[in-house]
């Protein structure tokens, strides 16, 4: 995977997406059930230049319906809550808070727990929406282990079911699955009507996209049907070949901001 472009452009993109979610403004952009993020290349500051840099890959995609987009702000808030050290005393909560019950947090694992293999994540049992949610945070600019995951890839290095995936992200996803599939299986057995939701942002979005592939490939281990699994990848890193993106488009929902 090649990542080029300026930090300012990346930050502007994320800030704009977070503003739309935090303020619950009408969604301006595009949405498609396909895990293909937009390229960021040779860009400087400014919305106009950012628009040109992102290109128009999604201009012919259909817009999401209100029903399709409804879970996105809520899932985004849960993902962002993973950045908090103490959910009962949040330091970075958006207006209106995260909309979560701290008593429903099943587990949370940080960098020390994960041995640098993956960014921090949380499993949350959302009884209000009948969902079992595994949320993974994005890249920490101060953590070398995150860059190691991101840069652990070569073209054609990791094959998966007739396609190709990002090697470092696949290993991170595999680490999470091995660590938590028994926990998820137990939650699914106790809450058989609940959806299993994987959500992540940026680096974490790439992890959950590939974690979703692993979950679908190991449904017998989890005790769940395909139609009970969904993934929301917010501003994801590129992590799979197009044929896989199309094959899993009914499950993986990639959310990107198309400016202009």
């Amino acid at each position: 995977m090649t990542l080029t472009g300026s930090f300012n452009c990346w930050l502007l993109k994320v800030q704009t997406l977070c503003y739309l979610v935090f303020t619950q403004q009408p969604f301006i952009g595009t949405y498609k059930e396909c895990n293909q993020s937009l390229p960021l290349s040779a860009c400087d500051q400014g919305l106009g230049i950012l628009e040109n840099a992102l290109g128009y890959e999604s201009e012919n995609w259909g817009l999401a319906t209100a029903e399709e987009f409804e879970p996105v702000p809520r899932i985004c808030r849960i993902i962002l809550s993973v950045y908090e050290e103490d959910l009962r005393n949040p330091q970075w909560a958006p207006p209106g808070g995260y909309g979560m019950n701290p008593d429903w947090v099943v587990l949370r694992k940080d960098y020390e727990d994960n041995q640098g293999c993956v960014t921090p994540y949380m499993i949350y049992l959302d009884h209000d929406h009948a969902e079992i949610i595994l949320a993974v945070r994005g890249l920490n600019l101060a953590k070398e282990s995150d860059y190691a995951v991101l840069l652990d890839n070569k073209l054609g290095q990791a094959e998966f079911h007739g396609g190709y995936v990002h090697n470092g992200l696949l290993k991170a996803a595999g680490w999470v699955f091995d660590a938590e599939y028994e926990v998820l299986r137990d939650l699914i057995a106790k809450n058989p009507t609940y959806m299993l939701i994987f959500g992540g942002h940026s680096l974490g979005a790439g992890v959950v996209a590939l974690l979703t592939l692993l979950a679908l490939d190991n449904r017998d281990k989890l005790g769940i049907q395909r139609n009970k699994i969904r993934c929301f990848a917010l501003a994801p890193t590129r992590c799979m070949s197009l044929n896989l993106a199309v094959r899993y488009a009914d499950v993986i929902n990639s959310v990107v901001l198309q400016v202009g």
Side-chain angles (χ1 to χ4, degrees), residues 3-13 38-55:
L3 179 64
T4 57
S6 72
F7 170 74
N8 287 325
C9 269
W10 173 82
L11 183 61
L12 180 60
K13 177 183 176 185
L38 299 177
L40 180 61
S41 58
C43 56
D44 272 316
Q45 301 179 45
L47 279 172
I49 299 177
L50 177 61
E51 176 183 356
N52 292 331
L54 289 175

Side-chain angles (χ1 to χ4, degrees), residues 75 123-125 129-135 177 180-181 183-185 187-188 191-199 211-212 214-216 218-219 222-232 251 253:
I75 299 299
I123 296 179
Y124 181 70
L125 191 58
H129 299 92
E131 293 172 342
I132 301 163
I133 303 169
L134 193 156
F177 185 84
E180 310 302 346
Y181 82 87
V183 175
L184 294 175
R185 183 177 61 197
L187 292 172
I188 291 166
N191 304 275
T193 63
Y194 284 25
M195 294 288 294
L196 176 59
I197 306 293
F198 296 106
L211 179 57
T212 301
L214 295 177
L216 291 169
N218 292 275
R219 296 194 303 276
L222 294 172
I224 193 170
Q225 299 298 313
R226 182 186 179 100
N227 63 0
K228 300 293 287 184
I229 301 175
R230 292 192 78 188
C231 172
F232 293 92
V251 179
N253 302 270

Side-chain angles (χ1 to χ4, degrees), residues 34-36 163-164 238-248:
C34 177
N35 191 38
Q36 287 289 102
Y164 294 93
R238 288 185 180 271
C239 61
M240 68 179 70
S241 54
L242 182 58
N243 63 325
L244 294 179
V246 172
R247 185 183 308 167
Y248 295 99

Side-chain angles (χ1 to χ4, degrees), residues 17 23 27 64 79 178 186 190 199 204 214 216 260:
L17 175 62
T23 59
F27 178 60
I79 296 167
D178 290 342
D186 184 56
K190 292 178 179 178
L214 295 177
L216 291 169

Side-chain angles (χ1 to χ4, degrees), residues 2 4 11 21 37 49 68 81 101-102 110 139 170 182 212 222-223 251:
T2 302
T4 57
L11 183 61
V21 172
S37 60
I49 299 177
E68 287 174 323
S81 76
N101 184 340
D110 58 20
L139 179 136
L170 179 63
E182 291 181 344
T212 301
L222 294 172
V251 179

